Amino acid sequence: MGQKRDPNGDEFGRTADLPLPSTLTVNEYEQQLFSFLAGRQYIQLNWRKDKSVRDTGPFIDGVYYGTHPAVRVFYSPGIIRWLRSDRVGPIPDGEMIIKEQYPPPAIQHHGKSEDQLRASLESWTVMVKDSSGSHDGWFWSNPGSDAKPFDYHANNQQPYSGFGLYCVRCHASTQSPTAESPESIDNEFTFASLRNIEGFPGEPILFRVDDSWRKETDKEAASATPDNEKKERSRTPSEEFLRLFAAIETIDVATAPCLPSSSHDALPATRDEIRDFVTSNQCMNCHAGLTGPLGPVGFVPTDDSNTTYGGEGVNVSPYGEWRWTPMGLAGRDPVFYAQVESEIALIRQQFGEGDEAKSLSETLVDTCLRCHGAMGHLQTSHSGDPRGKLTLDDVHAKSETGALIREGVSCMVCHRMQPLPQSDDDDRPYLAHFLETSITGNVHLGPPSEIYGPYPDDQLAGYAMQHAIGIKPKHSDYIKQSQLCGTCHTVSLPTIDHPLVAGEIEREDVQLVKSESVPEFKKFHHHVEQATYLEWLNSQFNNETNPDAPHGQSCQQCHMHDRTFAAETGNEDKRIQTRIAAIQDASYPDAENLAKHDDLRIRVREDYRRHGFAGLNVWLLEYFKQFDDVLGVKKTDYMTGSNRGADQAIAGMVRMAQQQTAALKVDAAATAIDGKQTIEAKVHVTNLAGHRFPTGVGFRRAFIEFVVLENAGLADERIVWASGRTNKLGVILDENGEPLETEFFDKQDPDQLFQPHHRVINSPRQVQIYETLLKDNANRFTTSFVRGCSTVKDNRLLPKGWSADGPGHGLSGAYLTATQPGPVASGDEDFIDGTGSDTTLYQIAVPNDVQTSRLSVKATLYYQATPPYYLDNLFKTAPEGNATRLLHAIASRVDLENSAISDWKLPIAEATAAITISQ
């Protein structure tokens, strides 16, 4: 073979004296590996290497199209033996492939000495075989030439090293000759070929390299902004906030109790059957965006001439957008955990500190995590964990369970869901079966070896996914159905301060208790705490029980857009055309040992839907955007270098608010009433959403700010009269600038005032607020999810097509009742006429010193995801809770001055009108 045998090994060199990576932490292994690399010990061990530095792709017009930089690869002895055996069987554990990486193209390094090459060396890419670490069986590392081991968790950085890294995006396209299936253990992940290696016949693949590399260039590649290079902003708490929410003494946000960073949340697929789920970073490997030169994929550059890493553009990839949704952040949501702490505090107030309180608290936490920590809950249930219930300690744990919880509603939750089959002897509509078995986070899954998407099986190129993680993509229509969303967006909970008593069970309670899967909760009355899916069923948008509905639109069709928008790109709205995965396919430079091209052909999709899932909770995204270091989510997208993910998500929510939520119309006239000039204005609000507005958890609210203006638009414009104005914290004020007495609830006062559903408003102290207000069993206002015994008010705007009788087809009893308006609103004929609208009449006496001809009116509909009264309840109920204190620290410091939610409110719609004066 032209090379002498090593006296201490064989003709292919000696084995490295390194432990298997899976026996150490990543940091511990890096210390040994990086030392091994820095000393280039593989050369001392006499490993075989490539014939020369070689390219991995073309170099044309100053652009390099390689999958790696220019490389020279070294192979441990076992790799050579495996190659010589025609790549049969799995590579033994401990064997290594080390790529030395140099600035491309390779021609500039030809003829260099070893010392000169070392001086030119930029980085390494390392593969270490360790079959116990992951399904693909390789530990990957990509350190720079001077890299030092460091704690990735300290700054929440994407690791250089680990199992299941993004390297599999390309390496999963390889195929070994005797592998019986993509996921076979002997189907290896290397492009290595003897033709590249010294001492063996053949020549490496050649790529076109022009002379443009010889020219000096002033081009400077864009780069990502590291997460730790944050825009400087004051983190001094707002004094106004601290005065208003004084139940908690503020803490330093830098030392606030917080969850482990998302760098801890990385679980690759394994070959055992212990773990049913992988974390989203495994999906990120292929389903994140990719910029040039081998892209763009899932990324729309705003400047077509600049597709470099870190360049400006819109990340439309599944992972890139999901990361910044309330679903992707659900397992880290500080408001959610503060709510959980308040529920626990209320349970202790009611039941004391004994076993019953402890058991109820644990059961409630476990129930809430069915959705907010879905994979952790499902994994614990399926694995037969003897603990049975998830706890808040699990949420904070640096463990597999903790990682799965903090992933929130992750990729594999939705993409593994399947409908629960209905028994043959059950002749009810399937919807009735679904509501009995599959709500409140009772997720039902297909086999762990399958994952589901909307495209037909014959249009799927599933080889790389099967090879990389052992999961086969398959078609399922269920992924496109609203019912899938209904599993977590229909929530039935017990009212634990209202236990069942024999003989007083109402029909609705029987229905809800029957669907209760938690035995401990069956002894209480129940209520439908969230009804978004049910509301959609009772609307004109329902195309599930009525497939021919002329206005039918599923949740996915509304919340997963199929286009980019002019405001994002600077161009017109445009349907997206993109591949949904970035793998090494036939569009890449040629390589050895590829699977069949047809098995790797990722189609360009023209019917792709974005994973933005836009709602209206801008507050949550501002928390994560401004306090990413505290809340533990990386702000910079590793695969594209973009750090605009949060901004893009917020823009999507604002677009949803302004274009798809509600419409407003105002008519105004001045007439004489009782001899006094009076303005009568009708404000007409129409709900555009496919469910109530607001929807979801009961503390969301929308309200109308109505103002009468004198000399509108002129320098001397002034407000003559107003209803619904707020201060900077979103507190609704009276005519004197003081908080309305209806703005905060005294839990001890059963006669507490509140804003009813108004048909007529004639006082600044009357405000039209669309909301739900509940009282507990002691007749006190509550924001608890498990104490809402009676509905005092529910005038949230109904969707178009709503009817008192509902759509039938299994929507009945308590579930139908959950879609009905509350007291007062149910008697407002224009509110319940099925048009999804409401009209409020404003009657304002014109002051004697004001000329009516100079007046106009303006109405603005605002939304608050977390109204001040709700925050006040949280802070007063559980002031010692870690999550509550963290929320207080963040909310008191968040800078909303120039944001979409300035003054703690999100504008939805606005309308103005001149005043018609009757003669």
Side-chain angles (χ1 to χ4, degrees):
M1 294 293 181
Q3 184 162 329
K4 295 181 179 179
R5 179 181 294 273
D6 189 307
N8 296 312
D10 60 23
E11 59 183 311
F12 307 129
R14 289 166 285 155
T15 301
D17 186 22
L18 289 171
L20 289 177
S22 61
T23 64
L24 303 172
T25 67
V26 170
N27 184 267
E28 290 168 344
Y29 187 75
E30 279 186 339
Q31 292 183 34
Q32 298 193 41
L33 175 64
F34 290 2
S35 175
F36 179 85
L37 296 173
R40 300 176 90 193
Q41 294 179 32
Y42 44 87
I43 295 178
Q44 300 167 27
L45 293 172
N46 204 28
W47 286 7
R48 289 295 181 94
K49 63 180 184 295
D50 282 349
K51 294 181 171 78
S52 63
V53 177
R54 57 187 173 87
D55 291 311
T56 59
F59 193 107
I60 301 171
D61 292 335
V63 178
Y64 183 61
Y65 294 88
T67 53
H68 285 272
V71 300
R72 184 175 64 158
V73 186
F74 288 77
Y75 310 85
S76 68
I79 299 294
I80 300 295
R81 286 191 288 270
W82 178 77
L83 289 171
R84 291 189 69 205
S85 71
D86 294 327
R87 301 184 293 121
V88 172
I91 293 172
D93 282 355
E95 300 300 336
M96 301 174 67
I97 299 174
I98 297 176
K99 296 183 182 75
E100 292 186 337
Q101 300 189 139
Y102 300 89
I107 189 172
Q108 63 184 308
H109 304 291
H110 290 178
K112 287 185 177 180
S113 68
E114 282 299 332
D115 288 342
Q116 290 172 322
L117 285 172
R118 180 63 181 93
S120 301
L121 181 65
E122 286 188 329
S123 63
W124 292 273
T125 298
V126 182
M127 299 171 62
V128 185
K129 185 64 186 287
D130 186 349
S131 57
S132 66
S134 60
H135 181 274
D136 64 274
W138 289 90
F139 181 90
W140 309 85
S141 187
N142 183 202
S145 60
D146 58 351
K148 302 290 189 298
F150 73 100
D151 183 1
Y152 300 107
H153 305 314
N155 292 312
N156 197 20
Q157 296 297 303
Q158 176 71 27
Y160 297 150
S161 311
F163 290 100
L165 291 195
Y166 50 86
C167 311
V168 299
R169 177 173 68 81
C170 290
H171 283 262
S173 296
T174 58
Q175 186 171 38
S176 299
T178 59
E180 296 182 357
S181 64
E183 65 269 25
S184 294
I185 196 168
D186 59 346
N187 195 19
E188 280 294 359
F189 286 78
T190 175
F191 298 99
S193 172
L194 290 174
R195 68 188 287 184
N196 298 325
I197 302 172
E198 283 183 345
F200 294 95
E203 295 291 338
I205 296 173
L206 292 177
F207 300 100
R208 164 73 172 152
V209 176
D210 65 15
D211 287 336
S212 59
W213 64 274
R214 299 179 186 277
K215 303 171 185 176
E216 291 186 2
T217 177
D218 294 328
K219 288 184 178 180
E220 186 173 320
S223 60
T225 301
D227 285 356
N228 56 4
E229 292 183 17
K230 298 178 175 64
K231 176 184 175 182
E232 288 297 320
R233 66 169 70 244
S234 172
R235 286 196 167 179
T236 302
S238 158
E239 291 298 327
E240 187 176 0
F241 187 98
L242 297 182
R243 285 193 300 271
L244 182 63
F245 302 111
I248 294 180
E249 185 176 344
T250 190
I251 58 175
D252 184 353
V253 72
T255 59
C258 56
L259 298 177
S261 66
S262 60
S263 59
H264 289 277
D265 304 343
L267 299 179
T270 59
R271 289 195 175 269
D272 57 45
E273 297 182 357
I274 296 175
R275 188 189 305 143
D276 286 347
F277 301 94
V278 298
T279 44
S280 60
N281 71 317
Q282 300 301 290
C283 309
M284 177 198 77
N285 291 339
C286 298
H287 295 286
L290 179 69
T291 54
L294 299 176
V297 173
F299 191 84
V300 180
T302 52
D303 179 359
D304 289 340
S305 66
N306 179 14
T307 62
T308 55
Y309 186 79
E312 291 294 318
V314 184
N315 190 343
V316 298
S317 68
Y319 175 85
E321 294 210 271
W322 164 87
R323 173 71 282 172
W324 289 99
T325 65
M327 295 171 72
L329 303 173
R332 294 178 169 274
D333 181 352
V335 180
F336 163 71
Y337 287 112
Q339 176 72 35
V340 170
E341 288 180 345
S342 75
E343 302 290 4
I344 293 172
L346 289 172
I347 288 173
R348 288 173 177 168
Q349 288 177 22
Q350 179 181 349
F351 296 95
E353 298 289 340
D355 291 342
E356 184 176 14
K358 182 175 183 293
S359 179
L360 276 174
S361 297
E362 291 176 349
T363 302
L364 184 62
V365 169
D366 185 69
T367 299
C368 295
L369 290 174
R370 286 182 187 171
C371 291
H372 276 263
M375 292 199 304
H377 190 277
L378 290 164
Q379 184 64 58
T380 301
S381 301
H382 292 182
S383 65
D385 191 314
R387 298 172 304 161
K389 300 175 184 176
L390 294 178
T391 68
L392 292 179
D393 288 340
D394 289 317
V395 176
H396 288 265
K398 297 174 182 178
S399 65
E400 290 193 5
T401 300
L404 292 171
I405 292 171
R406 293 187 294 271
E407 280 279 285
V409 186
S410 194
C411 315
M412 291 194 76
V413 178
C414 297
H415 284 278
R416 281 195 54 203
M417 284 177 65
Q418 288 289 277
L420 182 69
Q422 187 175 11
S423 64
D424 293 338
D425 59 357
D426 185 352
D427 59 359
R428 297 174 300 168
Y430 184 81
L431 176 60
H433 166 73
F434 170 83
L435 294 174
E436 183 178 304
T437 61
S438 306
I439 62 171
T440 319
N442 281 307
V443 174
H444 300 282
L445 304 172
S449 59
E450 295 178 357
I451 199 162
Y452 306 102
Y455 301 115
D457 288 338
D458 61 2
Q459 293 183 18
L460 300 178
Y463 177 89
M465 182 182 287
Q466 283 183 268
H467 191 194
I469 60 176
I471 298 176
K472 183 176 182 178
K474 297 184 70 173
H475 168 262
S476 174
D477 273 334
Y478 197 58
I479 196 74
K480 299 188 290 184
Q481 294 180 16
S482 297
Q483 197 167 93
L484 178 142
C485 310
T487 294
C488 283
H489 290 282
T490 309
V491 179
S492 172
L493 290 175
T495 51
I496 62 174
D497 58 344
H498 192 192
L500 286 168
V501 177
E504 67 172 26
I505 301 176
E506 299 175 0
R507 181 173 62 86
E508 286 81 1
D509 269 326
V510 171
Q511 189 180 27
L512 296 179
V513 172
K514 187 175 181 181
S515 70
E516 178 60 74
S517 61
V518 179
E520 192 169 0
F521 285 163
K522 285 183 174 289
K523 60 186 178 183
F524 301 106
H525 283 271
H526 278 61
H527 71 133
V528 177
E529 185 266 326
Q530 292 184 49
T532 304
Y533 169 62
L534 306 178
E535 295 160 11
W536 173 84
L537 285 169
N538 195 3
S539 79
Q540 70 177 20
F541 301 94
N542 175 3
N543 57 6
E544 197 167 85
T545 62
N546 183 14
D548 299 323
H551 302 287
Q553 192 174 22
S554 69
C555 306
Q556 291 86 335
Q557 287 172 303
C558 183
H559 291 276
M560 300 179 68
H561 296 296
D562 62 356
R563 63 196 64 226
T564 53
F565 296 91
E568 295 179 297
T569 63
N571 300 311
E572 71 276 6
D573 293 2
K574 188 174 182 180
R575 286 283 292 267
I576 296 170
Q577 296 183 13
T578 186
R579 296 176 175 87
I580 63 169
I583 66 170
Q584 184 155 342
D585 59 10
S587 68
Y588 275 51
D590 197 10
E592 304 281 359
N593 309 325
L594 281 171
K596 295 177 182 177
H597 288 181
D598 279 350
D599 291 340
L600 303 175
R601 186 165 64 90
I602 306 297
R603 287 171 167 77
V604 173
R605 302 291 183 181
E606 298 183 359
D607 55 351
Y608 170 73
R609 287 196 170 270
R610 297 169 64 171
H611 289 55
F613 307 117
L616 301 181
N617 196 353
V618 178
W619 287 260
L620 181 69
L621 294 190
E622 285 289 353
Y623 292 158
F624 276 89
K625 173 187 171 183
Q626 296 185 33
F627 298 92
D628 52 301
D629 54 330
V630 177
L631 295 174
V633 172
K634 290 184 281 288
K635 193 151 61 176
T636 300
D637 179 70
Y638 183 76
M639 300 303 286
T640 64
S642 172
N643 60 5
R644 294 191 52 79
D647 291 322
Q648 180 179 314
I650 289 170
M653 288 186 171
V654 172
R655 189 167 52 249
M656 173 69 74
Q658 296 176 350
Q659 298 179 13
Q660 295 179 253
T661 300
L664 208 59
K665 185 174 72 171
V666 180
D667 298 308
T671 60
I673 299 179
D674 297 330
K676 188 168 182 61
Q677 193 78 350
T678 300
I679 297 171
E680 287 198 334
K682 290 182 178 180
V683 177
H684 189 76
V685 185
T686 301
N687 182 10
L688 304 180
H691 41 68
R692 280 187 176 116
F693 173 66
T695 190
V697 290
F699 53 79
R700 315 282 196 214
R701 74 177 185 180
F703 62 93
I704 295 174
E705 177 191 83
F706 182 88
V707 295
V708 179
L709 297 169
E710 184 180 32
N711 299 330
L714 302 179
D716 59 345
E717 174 185 296
R718 74 181 182 100
I719 294 175
V720 174
W721 188 94
S723 160
R725 299 190 73 202
T726 72
N727 62 15
K728 288 186 176 297
L729 296 176
V731 178
I732 301 177
L733 307 175
D734 64 16
E735 68 274 25
N736 301 314
E738 296 296 325
L740 289 174
E741 57 186 338
T742 55
E743 270 298 84
F744 295 95
F745 296 115
D746 182 349
K747 294 183 180 180
Q748 307 307 316
D749 183 3
D751 298 321
Q752 163 78 48
L753 295 176
F754 64 94
Q755 293 288 336
H757 174 68
H758 294 285
R759 299 187 190 185
V760 179
I761 288 178
N762 51 34
S763 167
R765 300 189 178 202
Q766 296 173 317
V767 182
Q768 188 69 291
I769 304 177
Y770 298 106
E771 63 184 345
T772 299
L773 295 177
L774 303 175
K775 283 189 174 182
D776 62 19
N777 200 37
N779 200 33
R780 297 170 301 197
F781 281 98
T782 183
T783 53
S784 168
F785 292 173
V786 290
R787 292 168 188 276
C789 296
S790 61
T791 301
V792 178
K793 175 188 177 185
D794 188 350
N795 69 335
R796 294 173 296 166
L797 292 167
L798 300 170
K800 292 181 179 180
W802 173 89
S803 72
D805 296 330
H809 301 282
L811 184 62
S812 62
Y815 300 112
L816 177 59
T817 300
T819 71
Q820 310 290 342
V824 183
S826 60
D828 185 345
E829 292 184 1
D830 88 301
F831 187 88
I832 61 171
D833 63 2
T835 62
S837 61
D838 180 51
T839 300
T840 306
L841 176 63
Y842 289 79
Q843 293 180 332
I844 302 105
V846 179
N848 293 329
D849 61 343
V850 173
Q851 294 185 24
T852 306
S853 60
R854 295 182 178 180
L855 300 181
S856 61
V857 298
K858 180 173 73 172
T860 307
L861 181 66
Y862 287 106
Y863 171 79
Q864 290 178 325
T866 50
Y869 82 87
Y870 171 70
L871 291 176
D872 188 58
N873 279 359
L874 289 183
F875 299 148
K876 288 178 177 176
T877 303
E880 301 302 321
N882 284 338
T884 307
R885 293 164 64 220
L886 174 62
L887 176 62
H888 187 276
I890 289 173
S892 66
R893 291 168 170 84
V894 67
D895 180 4
L896 303 180
E897 185 173 351
N898 296 308
S899 75
I901 50 174
S902 178
D903 295 343
W904 213 269
K905 56 192 180 186
L906 175 65
I908 302 297
E910 181 179 290
T912 60
I915 296 174
T916 302
I917 302 176
S918 301
Q919 300 299 321

